[in-house]
Amino acid sequence: MKTELTQYDTPIHRALEEQRLNRLAHFDVPGHKGGRGNKELREFLGAECMKLDMNSMKPLDNLCHPVSVIKDAQELAAQAFGADEAFFIVNGTTAAVQAMIMSTTEAGDKIIMPRNVHRSAINALVVNGAIPVYINPGVNKKLGIPLGMSVESVKQSIRENPDARAILVNNPTYYGICSDLKAIVELAHESGMLVLVDEAHGTHFYFNDRMPISAMAAGADMSAVSMHKTGGSLTQSSILLTKNTVNADYVRQVINLTQTTSGSYLLLSSLDIARKNMSLNGQVLIDKAIEFATYAREEINKLGGYYAFGEELIDGDMIYDFDTTKLSVHTRDIGLAGIEVYDFLRDEFGIQIEFGDIGNILAIISGGDRNLEIERLISALSEVKRLHEKDKSGMFDHEYITPVVVMGPQKAFYSYKVSLPIQESDGKICGEFVMCYPPGIPILAPGEMITKEIIKYIEYAREKGCILTGTQDMNVENINVVDTAI
């Protein structure tokens, strides 16, 4: 008789340890054979880590078709997150977002989504041919950042597109801003639409009652959670959550279209252990993160010039709630772009933050931080202001530019294209992506009209030191545009 598992159990971790202790003679992959075949890598990562890097075998189950320990671990994750099913993802939350879209829409189907989505969502549309119906988020004029989806905008999009199959919601945004997720779910379900949530930055919502509502608690049908971002697992490990309103077996098939058949057991076991840790200790860990972030926010605001924003922004609409663990700081009033502050912190003070854009920085705070690092960050920001503050005139004042969509992403991406210098592309239809990474939200996506304002933004971002990506041209000097003469 099978013993009932609890949140104290880690099935994949346990099975992996058992295989390590079995002293197997390995005539399977990986070829490093526990690190013996690659001594430099073994010395770098450690002998125990290398021994645990195993391939799928009967006692370890199979990620593509789990029937034993992976299945058990996924069931425990579903329980912990309040979902009906959970799928372990080792291709990053990018793969989870794409699986959500590709399992609920097909070529020609409409999907309602905010335009400030991660590139992974638009990539899915390029692959499967679904058509986006964009809701332009509001913009906070002082901070220049995109906000959440207003309920009224969702209502309007549903009225104008009653045939849409699903609504995708970012919750929270990179900056910590949350939409009224429960109201959006109710509206969508009344109209027969599914709700998919890109919850990459909200894993911790599930494990602390001081956090905004989670996707599963709000009644969403699917959610992609980056366990590695705020849940403590290894980078690239993620979980896709579903309710019984979607066919979980079909979702698994869609995941298997793009996910590796050689799932890393280091990543899988990290998901297993991180789920246990958050389930048992999440309330305390996230309380600690909240206290750190709140203290840092207060101290940074005392410095003058900076604005570490938080719950005071909540307006019950496009900023319905706020994730207080996100330490987002507006920098433009000291005459510095966020990316400039990012560079100063790293190069002069040995501090690595999550990202800097043209007006803000973001520091990710978790229960793994310490008082010493928090104080270092506050002191370093004070020094950056003292040493580098300048006149803010002439600075670009917003992160988000409302796009003009003239063609579906798939059609534009696969159309015949010509390469032009970006400065000469005004009025053309973009055939690829342009974005700053992080955060990976496209400035331009396939099928959108290139405008003078967008060109100016790209050049400004380059000048300030943002890392531009997405174009075929690795120097991001030329851009592929749709050849409308063909």
Side-chain angles (χ1 to χ4, degrees):
M1 183 176 176
K2 183 177 176 181
T3 304
E4 185 174 349
L5 298 175
T6 72
Q7 292 298 319
Y8 288 88
D9 291 299
T10 51
I12 299 173
H13 171 222
R14 184 184 66 244
L16 205 55
E17 283 281 28
E18 288 173 357
Q19 294 312 306
R20 182 175 65 85
L21 296 173
N22 278 345
R23 298 173 60 85
L24 293 172
H26 279 282
F27 294 97
D28 60 350
V29 296
H32 60 67
K33 301 300 175 88
R36 294 189 304 273
N38 190 335
K39 292 182 180 180
E40 185 176 357
L41 186 59
R42 183 183 67 200
E43 291 171 2
F44 178 59
L45 294 179
E48 294 307 306
C49 177
M50 298 294 284
K51 289 176 183 176
L52 291 171
D53 185 30
M54 298 182 195
N55 189 38
S56 180
M57 60 181 81
K58 279 191 176 181
L60 293 180
D61 208 354
N62 187 296
L63 183 59
C64 296
H65 193 90
V67 295
S68 59
V69 295
I70 295 177
K71 180 175 182 288
D72 289 341
Q74 291 184 156
E75 288 177 354
L76 286 172
Q79 292 170 17
F81 283 90
D84 291 316
E85 300 282 348
F87 299 90
F88 283 4
I89 305 292
V90 295
N91 286 23
T93 307
T94 286
V97 169
Q98 291 172 348
M100 288 197 300
I101 293 172
M102 292 168 63
S103 62
T104 56
T105 63
E106 55 190 53
D109 285 344
K110 293 179 183 177
I111 177 169
I112 297 169
M113 61 172 66
R115 173 53 181 78
N116 59 323
V117 289
H118 188 265
R119 69 171 296 176
S120 58
I122 303 178
N123 283 348
L125 306 180
V126 169
V127 173
N128 84 333
I131 305 299
V133 175
Y134 290 130
I135 292 177
N136 287 313
V139 175
N140 181 293
K141 292 182 179 179
K142 174 177 172 55
L143 304 176
I145 61 172
L147 307 177
M149 298 165 72
S150 74
V151 172
E152 191 53 47
S153 293
V154 173
K155 284 181 182 177
Q156 182 178 342
S157 288
I158 290 174
R159 283 195 301 267
E160 294 173 355
N161 301 276
D163 53 341
R165 294 288 298 276
I167 299 175
L168 175 71
V169 186
N170 290 341
N171 204 74
T173 69
Y174 228 133
Y175 301 97
I177 291 166
C178 300
S179 302
D180 187 351
L181 192 54
K182 194 166 185 179
I184 291 171
V185 168
E186 290 172 358
L187 282 172
H189 287 174
E190 287 170 4
S191 301
M193 299 176 190
L194 297 171
V195 177
L196 323 176
V197 183
D198 180 349
E199 211 167 17
H201 297 277
T203 305
H204 53 300
F205 286 10
Y206 290 87
F207 303 103
N208 188 284
D209 54 19
R210 297 165 67 186
M211 288 285 96
I213 192 169
S214 68
M216 291 294 102
D221 303 282
M222 304 179 78
S223 175
V225 294
S226 281
M227 198 66 172
H228 70 93
K229 285 186 171 68
T230 57
S233 64
L234 291 177
T235 295
Q236 200 174 306
S237 58
S238 180
I239 300 178
L240 175 58
L241 306 170
T242 68
K243 290 286 194 179
N244 284 339
T245 47
V246 298
N247 183 338
D249 291 324
Y250 178 64
V251 171
R252 175 173 45 79
Q253 286 185 311
V254 172
I255 290 170
N256 287 339
L257 291 176
T258 56
Q259 177 149 263
T260 178
T261 56
S262 303
S264 165
Y265 279 89
L266 295 175
L267 298 182
L268 293 171
S269 59
S270 81
L271 285 170
D272 205 13
I273 296 167
R275 180 270 312 154
K276 174 186 174 182
N277 183 45
M278 292 303 288
S279 180
L280 301 180
N281 306 311
Q283 184 73 31
V284 172
L285 287 169
I286 297 161
D287 276 346
K288 184 180 176 184
I290 293 169
E291 301 314 316
F292 277 151
T294 300
Y295 170 75
R297 191 174 286 113
E298 292 171 353
E299 293 301 308
I300 291 167
N301 284 333
K302 291 176 184 177
L303 298 176
Y306 295 111
Y307 175 34
F309 49 93
E311 291 178 306
E312 72 281 355
L313 295 179
I314 293 173
D315 62 7
D317 186 24
M318 285 180 283
I319 311 175
Y320 184 77
D321 209 342
F322 188 84
D323 174 8
T324 54
T325 70
K326 297 287 190 299
L327 184 57
S328 301
V329 183
H330 187 61
T331 65
R332 194 178 296 118
D333 286 345
I334 63 168
L336 296 175
I339 187 63
E340 292 175 308
V341 175
Y342 171 103
D343 287 339
F344 288 136
L345 288 173
R346 186 195 61 234
D347 298 342
E348 298 182 10
F349 298 94
I351 293 175
Q352 181 64 56
I353 58 173
E354 177 66 12
F355 81 85
D357 53 35
I358 64 172
N360 305 275
I361 60 171
L362 171 66
I364 296 292
I365 308 296
S366 81
D369 284 306
R370 298 177 297 181
N371 286 304
L372 176 62
E373 281 98 354
I374 300 296
E375 295 293 353
R376 277 184 66 187
L377 175 61
I378 296 165
S379 297
L381 285 171
S382 177
E383 284 298 284
V384 168
K385 177 177 182 289
R386 183 179 71 83
L387 295 170
H388 302 288
E389 184 175 14
K390 57 187 179 183
D391 181 25
K392 68 176 182 178
S393 60
M395 297 188 72
F396 213 93
D397 65 355
H398 57 283
E399 297 290 340
Y400 179 75
I401 299 172
T402 302
V404 178
V405 180
V406 292
M407 187 180 290
Q410 185 184 63
K411 182 178 180 182
F413 187 83
Y414 290 110
S415 292
Y416 184 79
K417 299 183 284 288
V418 295
S419 179
L420 292 176
I422 290 176
Q423 295 89 340
E424 300 174 17
S425 62
D426 178 35
K428 304 295 184 182
I429 301 171
C430 185
E432 55 186 355
F433 291 92
V434 183
M435 70 202 79
C436 296
Y437 191 86
I441 297 168
I443 301 167
L444 277 169
E448 296 177 358
M449 183 69 70
I450 304 170
T451 65
K452 286 184 173 66
E453 185 183 18
I454 290 171
I455 294 170
K456 180 181 176 183
Y457 181 100
I458 292 170
E459 291 306 311
Y460 183 85
R462 186 201 308 279
E463 175 191 327
K464 292 299 181 182
C466 292
I467 299 173
L468 292 167
T469 69
T471 55
Q472 195 174 99
D473 174 19
M474 290 296 289
N475 295 319
V476 199
E477 294 173 348
N478 291 341
I479 188 168
N480 285 336
V481 301
V482 175
D483 188 347
T484 55
I486 300 297

